[in-house]
Amino acid sequence: MERNWDLFLAPYEQTVSELKVKLRGIRKQFRETNQHVPIEFVTGRVKPIDSILAKSKLRKIPLERLDEEMSDIAGLRIMCQFVDDIYHVVQLLRNRKDMKIVIERDYIENKKASGYRSYHLVVEYPVQVLEGEKMILAEIQIRTLSMNFWATIEHSLNYKYQGDFPVEISERLRRAAEAAYQLDEEMSNIRVEIQEAQRLFSHGKGTSDDTNYQSPSENEVN
Ligand code: 0O2
Ligand code: 0O2
């Protein structure tokens, strides 16, 4: 029977839209409460039909089993400034009642052979459809801006070489991945410096409440 793709993909479209709003909502709540915002930006996509077909062929997933066996038809990506933010976001998602994490893969501690780093979650997310509730699998990739830069470039090169990189290019990409990670580590070190300075500053003013942090000029005026 010919598959009606619009009908099949509709709950996935709905999942991506709803999760984008919810994940961007987390960002907004941090901003509004003057806390360090662990999310820089959020993107999402439904996997294009030709990619679904190519992957199902490669992984030998029968089309009737796509709902259960292809976990990235709905895909969300959360970009963070710092590596620590990634683990903070994972913890926030673990505590949520509106989605259930079913798979966790830490490709930061365990980077891939290509040099790829990111934290992957697969969640079960319930969407409301005419027939009632439907459970949809969605993949959430959480990465720093620097990991995202590397993955985006590597992904486009993958198209060019169809995954079959010349040895020299793979080696260069692996070195670039390490350089990207070093950048993350340097930024984390600077971040500790900044936070220490903020703590010293607020203690000096007789308050330890970082959420009430104001810039020196504002404090002097008040
Ligand atoms: P903000 O936080 O105010 O900047 P839509 O599907 O229409 O809901 P959109 O926004 O059209 O989503 O596209 P997409 O690709 O999902 O992008 C989501 C957000 O990520 C957008 O911000 C983009 O500006 C932002 N974005 C995408 N790529 C980059 C990037 O490389 N760097 C940065 N800093 N931001 C990026 P918003 O929605 O305007 O929200
Ligand atoms: P897309 O939409 O082109 O990004 P799965 O593929 O999820 O069934 P697997 O392989 O165990 O099973 O999943 P994994 O490795 O946790 O996640 C796969 C996704 O992670 C890929 O999606 C990429 O988005 C990303 N990814 C994994 N390894 C690499 C890598 O070496 N380089 C880059 N740039 N991205 C990587 P797809 O399937 O490629 O789809």
Side-chain angles (χ1 to χ4, degrees):
M1 199 182 74
E2 186 72 5
R3 175 169 286 255
N4 182 335
W5 283 103
D6 284 346
L7 201 63
F8 174 75
L9 291 177
Y12 288 95
E13 300 277 1
Q14 196 174 327
T15 298
V16 170
S17 304
E18 289 184 15
L19 285 178
K20 264 207 284 197
V21 168
K22 289 183 175 192
L23 298 173
R24 286 174 183 169
I26 299 179
R27 176 180 152 74
K28 194 155 175 274
Q29 285 175 44
F30 274 96
R31 215 167 30 199
E32 281 170 359
T33 51
N34 293 324
Q35 299 180 67
H36 167 70
V37 184
I39 294 177
E40 188 64 11
F41 65 97
V42 176
T43 61
R45 63 100 184 93
V46 171
K47 206 175 184 69
I49 298 169
D50 54 346
S51 306
I52 296 178
L53 289 173
K55 190 165 179 173
S56 69
K57 200 166 160 202
L58 193 71
R59 302 280 168 97
K60 301 192 169 46
I61 301 173
L63 291 186
E64 321 76 71
R65 304 272 311 154
L66 285 179
D67 276 330
E68 299 84 2
E69 292 185 28
M70 196 173 290
S71 51
D72 68 341
I73 297 176
L76 282 301
R77 218 167 250 169
I78 301 177
M79 266 52 69
C80 306
Q81 287 186 349
F82 302 106
V83 177
D84 285 352
D85 293 340
I86 297 177
Y87 292 98
H88 186 185
V89 171
V90 170
Q91 195 52 46
L92 288 172
L93 297 183
R94 283 193 191 120
N95 291 340
R96 287 187 76 109
K97 302 264 186 288
D98 54 351
M99 61 188 83
K100 182 173 167 231
I101 298 175
V102 290
I103 299 175
E104 281 195 37
R105 296 195 187 109
D106 185 346
Y107 296 127
I108 301 168
E109 286 281 326
N110 309 295
K111 66 171 180 199
K112 290 207 160 189
S114 59
Y116 177 79
R117 284 184 173 89
S118 278
Y119 201 103
H120 289 195
L121 299 176
V122 176
V123 299
E124 275 177 353
Y125 181 75
V127 283
Q128 309 304 316
V129 291
L130 290 182
E131 300 75 31
E133 188 169 275
K134 184 171 166 64
M135 210 48 100
I136 294 289
L137 290 178
E139 183 187 73
I140 306 179
Q141 302 181 340
I142 312 166
R143 41 170 82 152
T144 61
L145 295 168
S146 167
M147 293 171 191
N148 188 49
F149 176 45
W150 183 91
T152 307
I153 303 276
E154 198 258 5
H155 196 261
S156 38
L157 278 176
N158 237 311
Y159 269 110
K160 177 169 173 194
Y161 292 104
Q162 299 288 311
D164 198 10
F165 291 121
V167 177
E168 196 208 323
I169 303 266
S170 322
E171 193 41 51
R172 282 187 172 203
L173 281 168
R174 270 194 290 275
R175 281 207 298 272
E178 291 320 301
Y181 198 61
Q182 247 173 19
L183 178 61
D184 276 333
E185 290 189 320
E186 280 302 317
M187 290 302 181
S188 296
N189 292 337
I190 294 171
R191 178 192 179 171
V192 171
E193 293 271 316
I194 295 166
Q195 286 182 331
E196 258 172 31
Q198 284 176 348
R199 259 198 305 278
L200 283 175
F201 173 76
S202 55
H203 284 154
K205 291 286 173 188
T207 166
S208 59
D209 186 354
D210 282 350
T211 57
N212 287 333
Y213 176 76
Q214 291 174 301
S215 72
S217 57
E218 280 171 322
N219 268 354
E220 270 154 29
V221 178
N222 294 330

Short mmCIF file of all heavy atoms in Angstrom, two decimals, residues 51-88:
data_model
loop_
_atom_site.label_atom_id
_atom_site.label_comp_id
_atom_site.label_asym_id
_atom_site.label_seq_id
_atom_site.Cartn_x
_atom_site.Cartn_y
_atom_site.Cartn_z
N SER A 51 15.81 11.07 3.21
CA SER A 51 16.76 10.61 4.24
C SER A 51 16.18 9.46 5.05
O SER A 51 16.90 8.54 5.45
CB SER A 51 17.11 11.74 5.21
OG SER A 51 17.55 12.86 4.54
N ILE A 52 14.85 9.52 5.30
CA ILE A 52 14.19 8.41 6.04
C ILE A 52 14.32 7.12 5.22
O ILE A 52 14.70 6.07 5.73
CB ILE A 52 12.69 8.72 6.29
CG1 ILE A 52 12.54 9.94 7.21
CG2 ILE A 52 11.98 7.51 6.88
CD1 ILE A 52 11.10 10.36 7.46
N LEU A 53 14.06 7.25 3.91
CA LEU A 53 14.10 6.06 3.04
C LEU A 53 15.52 5.51 2.95
O LEU A 53 15.74 4.30 3.06
CB LEU A 53 13.57 6.41 1.65
CG LEU A 53 12.06 6.66 1.59
CD1 LEU A 53 11.65 7.18 0.21
CD2 LEU A 53 11.29 5.40 1.96
N ALA A 54 16.50 6.41 2.81
CA ALA A 54 17.90 5.97 2.70
C ALA A 54 18.33 5.26 3.98
O ALA A 54 18.97 4.20 3.94
CB ALA A 54 18.79 7.17 2.40
N LYS A 55 17.97 5.84 5.13
CA LYS A 55 18.39 5.25 6.41
C LYS A 55 17.69 3.91 6.66
O LYS A 55 18.30 2.98 7.19
CB LYS A 55 18.11 6.23 7.54
CG LYS A 55 18.71 5.83 8.87
CD LYS A 55 18.71 6.99 9.83
CE LYS A 55 19.29 6.59 11.17
NZ LYS A 55 19.42 7.75 12.05
N SER A 56 16.40 3.82 6.26
CA SER A 56 15.67 2.57 6.50
C SER A 56 16.28 1.44 5.66
O SER A 56 16.34 0.29 6.09
CB SER A 56 14.17 2.73 6.22
OG SER A 56 13.96 2.89 4.85
N LYS A 57 16.77 1.81 4.47
CA LYS A 57 17.41 0.81 3.62
C LYS A 57 18.74 0.36 4.24
O LYS A 57 19.02 -0.83 4.37
CB LYS A 57 17.65 1.44 2.24
CG LYS A 57 17.83 0.45 1.15
CD LYS A 57 17.71 1.11 -0.21
CE LYS A 57 18.37 0.24 -1.25
NZ LYS A 57 18.76 1.00 -2.43
N LEU A 58 19.53 1.36 4.65
CA LEU A 58 20.84 1.09 5.24
C LEU A 58 20.74 0.24 6.51
O LEU A 58 21.50 -0.70 6.72
CB LEU A 58 21.51 2.43 5.55
CG LEU A 58 22.98 2.43 5.88
CD1 LEU A 58 23.80 2.13 4.62
CD2 LEU A 58 23.40 3.80 6.43
N ARG A 59 19.78 0.62 7.38
CA ARG A 59 19.64 -0.07 8.67
C ARG A 59 18.66 -1.24 8.61
O ARG A 59 18.32 -1.81 9.64
CB ARG A 59 19.15 0.91 9.73
CG ARG A 59 20.02 2.10 9.96
CD ARG A 59 21.21 1.73 10.84
NE ARG A 59 22.19 2.78 10.84
CZ ARG A 59 22.29 3.72 11.77
NH1 ARG A 59 21.47 3.73 12.77
NH2 ARG A 59 23.22 4.64 11.69
N LYS A 60 18.15 -1.52 7.42
CA LYS A 60 17.17 -2.62 7.23
C LYS A 60 15.97 -2.48 8.17
O LYS A 60 15.57 -3.43 8.87
CB LYS A 60 17.85 -3.98 7.41
CG LYS A 60 19.00 -4.19 6.44
CD LYS A 60 19.46 -5.63 6.42
CE LYS A 60 20.41 -5.93 5.29
NZ LYS A 60 21.50 -4.98 5.07
N ILE A 61 15.42 -1.25 8.22
CA ILE A 61 14.24 -1.01 9.05
C ILE A 61 13.01 -1.06 8.13
O ILE A 61 12.90 -0.24 7.22
CB ILE A 61 14.30 0.38 9.74
CG1 ILE A 61 15.55 0.48 10.62
CG2 ILE A 61 13.04 0.64 10.56
CD1 ILE A 61 15.79 1.87 11.20
N PRO A 62 12.10 -2.02 8.33
CA PRO A 62 10.90 -2.06 7.49
C PRO A 62 10.08 -0.79 7.69
O PRO A 62 10.02 -0.26 8.81
CB PRO A 62 10.13 -3.28 8.01
CG PRO A 62 10.98 -3.95 9.01
CD PRO A 62 12.11 -3.04 9.38
N LEU A 63 9.45 -0.30 6.62
CA LEU A 63 8.72 0.97 6.72
C LEU A 63 7.60 0.91 7.78
O LEU A 63 7.28 1.91 8.40
CB LEU A 63 8.15 1.38 5.36
CG LEU A 63 9.21 1.79 4.31
CD1 LEU A 63 8.56 2.32 3.04
CD2 LEU A 63 10.20 2.81 4.86
N GLU A 64 7.04 -0.28 8.00
CA GLU A 64 5.97 -0.39 9.03
C GLU A 64 6.55 -0.24 10.43
O GLU A 64 5.79 -0.12 11.40
CB GLU A 64 5.23 -1.74 8.99
CG GLU A 64 4.93 -2.36 7.65
CD GLU A 64 6.17 -2.99 7.01
OE1 GLU A 64 6.65 -4.04 7.50
OE2 GLU A 64 6.65 -2.39 6.01
N ARG A 65 7.88 -0.31 10.58
CA ARG A 65 8.48 -0.25 11.92
C ARG A 65 9.18 1.09 12.17
O ARG A 65 9.94 1.22 13.14
CB ARG A 65 9.52 -1.39 12.08
CG ARG A 65 8.99 -2.79 11.84
CD ARG A 65 8.40 -3.42 13.08
NE ARG A 65 9.28 -3.32 14.22
CZ ARG A 65 8.85 -3.33 15.49
NH1 ARG A 65 7.55 -3.41 15.74
NH2 ARG A 65 9.69 -3.24 16.49
N LEU A 66 8.96 2.08 11.28
CA LEU A 66 9.66 3.36 11.42
C LEU A 66 9.37 4.02 12.78
O LEU A 66 10.28 4.53 13.43
CB LEU A 66 9.24 4.32 10.30
CG LEU A 66 9.81 4.06 8.91
CD1 LEU A 66 9.27 5.08 7.93
CD2 LEU A 66 11.34 4.12 8.95
N ASP A 67 8.09 4.01 13.20
CA ASP A 67 7.71 4.65 14.48
C ASP A 67 8.55 4.13 15.64
O ASP A 67 8.97 4.89 16.51
CB ASP A 67 6.24 4.36 14.79
CG ASP A 67 5.29 5.33 14.08
OD1 ASP A 67 5.70 6.48 13.85
OD2 ASP A 67 4.16 4.91 13.76
N GLU A 68 8.77 2.81 15.64
CA GLU A 68 9.48 2.19 16.78
C GLU A 68 10.99 2.20 16.60
O GLU A 68 11.73 2.28 17.58
CB GLU A 68 9.06 0.72 16.96
CG GLU A 68 7.59 0.47 17.25
CD GLU A 68 6.72 0.43 15.99
OE1 GLU A 68 7.29 0.56 14.88
OE2 GLU A 68 5.49 0.31 16.11
N GLU A 69 11.46 2.12 15.35
CA GLU A 69 12.89 1.84 15.16
C GLU A 69 13.73 2.98 14.59
O GLU A 69 14.94 2.88 14.56
CB GLU A 69 13.05 0.58 14.29
CG GLU A 69 12.58 -0.67 15.03
CD GLU A 69 12.84 -1.94 14.27
OE1 GLU A 69 13.79 -1.98 13.47
OE2 GLU A 69 12.06 -2.89 14.46
N MET A 70 13.07 4.04 14.12
CA MET A 70 13.88 5.19 13.67
C MET A 70 13.64 6.34 14.65
O MET A 70 12.59 6.97 14.65
CB MET A 70 13.53 5.59 12.23
CG MET A 70 14.62 6.49 11.66
SD MET A 70 14.40 6.84 9.91
CE MET A 70 14.73 5.27 9.15
N SER A 71 14.65 6.56 15.50
CA SER A 71 14.41 7.46 16.63
C SER A 71 14.70 8.93 16.32
O SER A 71 14.50 9.78 17.16
CB SER A 71 15.25 7.01 17.83
OG SER A 71 16.58 6.85 17.42
N ASP A 72 15.16 9.22 15.09
CA ASP A 72 15.49 10.63 14.82
C ASP A 72 14.65 11.23 13.68
O ASP A 72 15.09 12.16 13.02
CB ASP A 72 16.98 10.79 14.53
CG ASP A 72 17.41 10.13 13.22
OD1 ASP A 72 16.66 9.27 12.72
OD2 ASP A 72 18.47 10.50 12.70
N ILE A 73 13.43 10.72 13.50
CA ILE A 73 12.55 11.37 12.50
C ILE A 73 12.20 12.77 13.01
O ILE A 73 12.22 13.73 12.26
CB ILE A 73 11.29 10.51 12.24
CG1 ILE A 73 11.71 9.16 11.64
CG2 ILE A 73 10.32 11.24 11.33
CD1 ILE A 73 10.57 8.19 11.42
N ALA A 74 11.94 12.85 14.33
CA ALA A 74 11.82 14.18 14.96
C ALA A 74 13.17 14.48 15.60
O ALA A 74 13.67 13.69 16.41
CB ALA A 74 10.72 14.17 16.01
N GLY A 75 13.80 15.59 15.23
CA GLY A 75 15.13 15.91 15.77
C GLY A 75 15.20 17.33 16.29
O GLY A 75 14.78 18.27 15.62
N LEU A 76 15.71 17.45 17.52
CA LEU A 76 15.92 18.77 18.12
C LEU A 76 17.39 18.92 18.43
O LEU A 76 18.07 17.92 18.72
CB LEU A 76 15.14 18.87 19.44
CG LEU A 76 13.62 19.13 19.45
CD1 LEU A 76 13.28 20.43 18.74
CD2 LEU A 76 12.84 17.98 18.86
N ARG A 77 17.87 20.15 18.39
CA ARG A 77 19.27 20.40 18.70
C ARG A 77 19.34 21.58 19.66
O ARG A 77 18.72 22.61 19.40
CB ARG A 77 20.01 20.74 17.42
CG ARG A 77 21.38 20.18 17.35
CD ARG A 77 21.93 20.29 15.94
NE ARG A 77 22.03 18.99 15.29
CZ ARG A 77 22.28 18.82 14.01
NH1 ARG A 77 22.43 19.86 13.22
NH2 ARG A 77 22.37 17.60 13.50
N ILE A 78 20.06 21.38 20.76
CA ILE A 78 20.22 22.47 21.74
C ILE A 78 21.68 22.87 21.75
O ILE A 78 22.56 22.03 21.97
CB ILE A 78 19.82 21.99 23.16
CG1 ILE A 78 18.37 21.51 23.15
CG2 ILE A 78 20.02 23.10 24.18
CD1 ILE A 78 17.91 20.95 24.49
N MET A 79 21.95 24.14 21.49
CA MET A 79 23.33 24.62 21.50
C MET A 79 23.61 25.38 22.81
O MET A 79 22.77 26.19 23.25
CB MET A 79 23.59 25.54 20.31
CG MET A 79 24.17 24.85 19.09
SD MET A 79 23.31 23.39 18.50
CE MET A 79 21.82 24.10 17.88
N CYS A 80 24.78 25.08 23.41
CA CYS A 80 25.15 25.67 24.69
C CYS A 80 26.49 26.39 24.54
O CYS A 80 27.27 26.07 23.64
CB CYS A 80 25.33 24.57 25.73
SG CYS A 80 23.93 23.46 25.92
N GLN A 81 26.76 27.31 25.49
CA GLN A 81 28.07 27.98 25.45
C GLN A 81 29.17 27.09 26.02
O GLN A 81 30.27 27.04 25.48
CB GLN A 81 28.01 29.28 26.25
CG GLN A 81 27.23 30.37 25.56
CD GLN A 81 27.30 31.69 26.29
OE1 GLN A 81 27.78 31.77 27.43
NE2 GLN A 81 26.81 32.73 25.66
N PHE A 82 28.86 26.42 27.14
CA PHE A 82 29.89 25.68 27.87
C PHE A 82 29.54 24.20 28.00
O PHE A 82 28.36 23.85 28.03
CB PHE A 82 30.06 26.27 29.28
CG PHE A 82 30.43 27.73 29.29
CD1 PHE A 82 29.49 28.69 29.62
CD2 PHE A 82 31.71 28.13 28.96
CE1 PHE A 82 29.82 30.04 29.62
CE2 PHE A 82 32.06 29.47 28.96
CZ PHE A 82 31.12 30.44 29.29
N VAL A 83 30.57 23.36 28.13
CA VAL A 83 30.33 21.92 28.27
C VAL A 83 29.47 21.64 29.51
O VAL A 83 28.55 20.83 29.47
CB VAL A 83 31.67 21.14 28.35
CG1 VAL A 83 31.43 19.66 28.58
CG2 VAL A 83 32.48 21.34 27.06
N ASP A 84 29.75 22.35 30.63
CA ASP A 84 28.94 22.14 31.85
C ASP A 84 27.46 22.41 31.61
O ASP A 84 26.60 21.78 32.23
CB ASP A 84 29.40 23.09 32.97
CG ASP A 84 30.71 22.63 33.58
OD1 ASP A 84 31.15 21.52 33.24
OD2 ASP A 84 31.28 23.40 34.38
N ASP A 85 27.18 23.38 30.73
CA ASP A 85 25.78 23.69 30.43
C ASP A 85 25.06 22.48 29.85
O ASP A 85 23.87 22.27 30.08
CB ASP A 85 25.68 24.84 29.41
CG ASP A 85 26.18 26.17 29.96
OD1 ASP A 85 26.24 26.32 31.19
OD2 ASP A 85 26.50 27.06 29.14
N ILE A 86 25.80 21.69 29.06
CA ILE A 86 25.18 20.51 28.42
C ILE A 86 24.64 19.58 29.51
O ILE A 86 23.49 19.14 29.46
CB ILE A 86 26.22 19.75 27.55
CG1 ILE A 86 26.70 20.66 26.41
CG2 ILE A 86 25.64 18.44 27.03
CD1 ILE A 86 27.78 20.05 25.53
N TYR A 87 25.49 19.31 30.54
CA TYR A 87 25.07 18.39 31.59
C TYR A 87 23.94 19.00 32.43
O TYR A 87 23.07 18.28 32.93
CB TYR A 87 26.27 17.97 32.44
CG TYR A 87 27.23 17.12 31.63
CD1 TYR A 87 28.36 17.68 31.03
CD2 TYR A 87 26.95 15.78 31.39
CE1 TYR A 87 29.20 16.90 30.24
CE2 TYR A 87 27.78 15.00 30.60
CZ TYR A 87 28.91 15.56 30.04
OH TYR A 87 29.73 14.79 29.25
N HIS A 88 23.96 20.33 32.57
CA HIS A 88 22.88 21.01 33.27
C HIS A 88 21.56 20.81 32.52
O HIS A 88 20.53 20.48 33.11
CB HIS A 88 23.25 22.51 33.38
CG HIS A 88 22.31 23.32 34.21
ND1 HIS A 88 22.41 24.68 34.33
CD2 HIS A 88 21.22 22.99 34.94
CE1 HIS A 88 21.45 25.12 35.10
NE2 HIS A 88 20.71 24.11 35.48
#
